[in-house]
């Protein structure tokens, strides 16, 4: 595949920034609520953000120097003054309001008011929680690491989570967050966002403590299937063993399969049949069909 080579040192920062935003995406959004030393609230979204530890619980986000004028941002100033922040998750219903809070209002302007969001007292820190946010994490700042002194340079803000508030409505009966109810949004490049609910959410069950066969155990005829995609082959490679000889025997006498085994075009047809079985969730059956379709199996 043809690739575009980028040397970060040779590209204008504003363009490099967009390539990074497009390539590292979607990113969760920290809706960071801070307060200056005089008690003026501040609220701004930051998508250079993630969780990096659960014990202790640590979140990290980055406030960058502006590319256009190398200025640093109010969130960083407030954090340096007070050492506190509440990181609020951003869901679909507040997405547009969140974007409004990213406007470069002067430091004395309260973005809760500008964006029409509800400030709510936190338990352990001074900055407000965003009442509408389904997950609000009260943090004390452990460390701020400056990554450079030119426009675009980040400041890693390493936060210890001291209290978490989750809307009851998004917690399911297994005491876990239901992503469909949480309905978070992620930021991509430019004006693109992604909504993490409904058909955008996929489940992948991959036990890590059972040794899956892996691609190297797939026969050549399966690995080079003209029908199966990489994801579909991975379903087969994720099995821990092939179906038994007796299971293969039973499959081979099913009328449709028996007929395909006799046809000249049988190999493709059997791979299509295997594909249907994978889509239906019958991966063992698909594996059996693929083995039967393998010319070497019959030698
Ligand atoms: C979804 C979204 C994500 C953003 N992520 C970042 C980020 O990770 N780092 C950053 O410096 N600015 C980011 N920005 C821009 C800031 O929100 C913007 O500069 C804001 O005015 C900063 O506010 P403050 O000066 O009150 O901290 C983001 C903007 C949006 C809309």
């Amino acid at each position: 595949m043809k690739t575009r080579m980028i040397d970060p040192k040779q590209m204008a920062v504003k363009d490099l920034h967009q390539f990074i935003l497009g390539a590292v995406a979607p990113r969760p959004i920290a809706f960071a609520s801070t307060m200056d030393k005089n008690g003026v609230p501040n609220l701004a979204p930051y998508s250079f953000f993630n969780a990096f530890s659960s014990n202790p619980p640590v979140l990290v986000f980055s406030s960058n120097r502006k590319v256009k004028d190398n200025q640093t941002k109010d969130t960083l100033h407030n954090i340096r003054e007070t050492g506190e922040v509440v990181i609020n998750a951003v869901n679909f219903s507040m997405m547009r309001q969140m974007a409004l809070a990213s406007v470069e209002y002067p430091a004395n302007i309260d973005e809760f008011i500008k964006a029409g969001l509800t400030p709510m007292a936190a338990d352990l820190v001074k900055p407000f929680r965003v009442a509408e946010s389904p997950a609000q994490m009260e943090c004390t700042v452990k460390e701020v690491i400056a990554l450079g002194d030119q426009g675009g340079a980040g400041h890693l803000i390493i936060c210890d989570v001291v209290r978490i508030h989750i809307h009851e409505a998004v917690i399911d009966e297994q005491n876990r967050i239901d992503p469909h109810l949480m309905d978070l949004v992620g930021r991509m490049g430019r004006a693109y966002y992604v909504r993490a609910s409904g058909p955008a959410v996929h489940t992948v069950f991959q036990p890590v403590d059972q040794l899956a066969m892996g691609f190297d155990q797939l026969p050549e005829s399966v690995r080079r299937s003209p029908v199966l995609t990489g994801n579909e082959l991975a379903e087969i490679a994720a099995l821990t063993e092939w179906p038994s000889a007796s299971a293969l025997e039973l499959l081979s006498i099913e009328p449709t399969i028996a007929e395909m085994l006799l046809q000249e075009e049988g190999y493709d047809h059997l791979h299509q049949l295997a594909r249907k079985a994978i889509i239906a969730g019958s991966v063992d059956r698909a594996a059996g069909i693929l083995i039967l379709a393998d010319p070497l199996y019959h030698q």
Side-chain angles (χ1 to χ4, degrees):
M1 208 163 292
K2 204 175 163 208
T3 55
R4 171 93 59 102
M5 191 278 281
I6 292 171
D7 177 352
K9 292 197 180 76
Q10 301 298 324
M11 186 176 266
V13 177
K14 69 173 178 31
D15 299 324
L16 180 62
H17 183 61
Q18 284 306 329
F19 275 107
I20 290 173
L21 294 193
V24 185
R27 297 176 305 285
I29 302 171
F31 210 2
S33 163
T34 55
M35 205 174 249
D36 71 11
K37 60 177 182 315
N38 302 315
V40 177
N42 192 87
L43 185 61
Y46 284 87
S47 70
F48 283 2
F49 163 59
N50 224 306
F52 284 93
S53 168
S54 305
N55 183 22
V58 172
L59 307 180
V60 179
F61 70 100
S62 178
S63 182
N64 292 6
R65 289 175 175 278
K66 293 177 195 168
V67 176
K68 60 175 181 217
D69 57 10
N70 199 16
Q71 292 297 302
T72 49
K73 302 187 180 182
D74 295 339
T75 301
L76 178 70
H77 306 157
N78 291 351
I79 280 173
R80 284 192 159 141
E81 276 179 18
T82 67
E84 294 182 339
V85 56
V86 178
I87 293 182
N88 301 274
V90 176
N91 64 9
F92 184 73
S93 61
M94 67 165 75
M95 179 175 67
R96 192 63 188 87
Q97 286 167 288
M98 171 280 297
L100 194 53
S102 74
V103 170
E104 294 177 4
Y105 292 113
N108 61 340
I109 296 295
D110 177 352
E111 286 91 356
F112 275 95
I113 296 172
K114 286 291 179 196
L117 291 162
T118 315
M120 200 179 172
D123 292 348
L124 306 175
V125 297
K126 289 209 189 67
F128 292 115
R129 296 143 61 188
V130 177
E132 289 83 354
S133 165
Q136 309 140 7
M137 290 160 280
E138 300 185 22
C139 304
T140 55
V141 173
K142 193 188 180 78
E143 201 177 342
V144 177
I145 302 174
L147 299 178
D149 56 12
Q150 302 297 307
H155 297 83
L156 295 187
I157 301 174
I158 305 176
C159 308
D160 282 319
V161 181
V162 293
R163 183 147 300 181
I164 302 176
H165 308 265
I166 312 274
H167 284 183
E168 279 295 348
V170 304
I171 301 176
D172 68 15
E173 47 298 335
Q174 279 118 45
N175 198 34
R176 295 286 183 267
I177 288 176
D178 179 328
H180 300 284
L181 300 173
M182 193 75 170
D183 202 13
L184 293 182
V185 288
R187 190 170 207 210
M188 300 161 85
R190 294 181 283 165
Y192 295 115
Y193 289 85
V194 64
R195 183 178 187 178
S197 64
V201 176
H202 297 268
T203 47
V204 177
F205 296 103
Q206 178 59 68
V208 290
D209 50 0
Q210 296 162 23
L211 288 187
M213 290 192 295
F215 268 67
D216 56 313
Q217 298 303 307
L218 302 179
E220 183 83 1
S221 71
V222 176
R223 242 187 352 245
R224 296 193 181 284
S225 171
V227 174
L228 299 174
T229 64
N231 281 335
E232 288 159 355
L233 288 174
E235 293 279 359
I236 306 291
L239 294 172
T240 52
E241 57 184 12
W242 293 105
S244 63
S246 56
L248 291 177
E249 179 65 31
L250 280 177
L251 269 180
S252 70
I253 55 174
E254 281 186 24
T256 329
I257 296 176
E259 199 178 310
M260 285 179 184
L261 284 169
L262 295 174
Q263 288 169 2
E264 219 166 88
E265 303 284 296
Y267 170 79
D268 275 22
H269 292 157
L270 284 162
H271 276 230
Q272 272 149 15
L273 198 65
R275 179 158 194 257
K276 279 192 192 142
I278 293 170
I279 292 166
S282 306
V283 181
D284 278 317
R285 180 179 165 78
I289 296 170
L290 293 170
I291 289 291
L292 291 176
D294 182 21
L296 294 181
Y297 175 77
H298 300 279
Q299 281 175 11

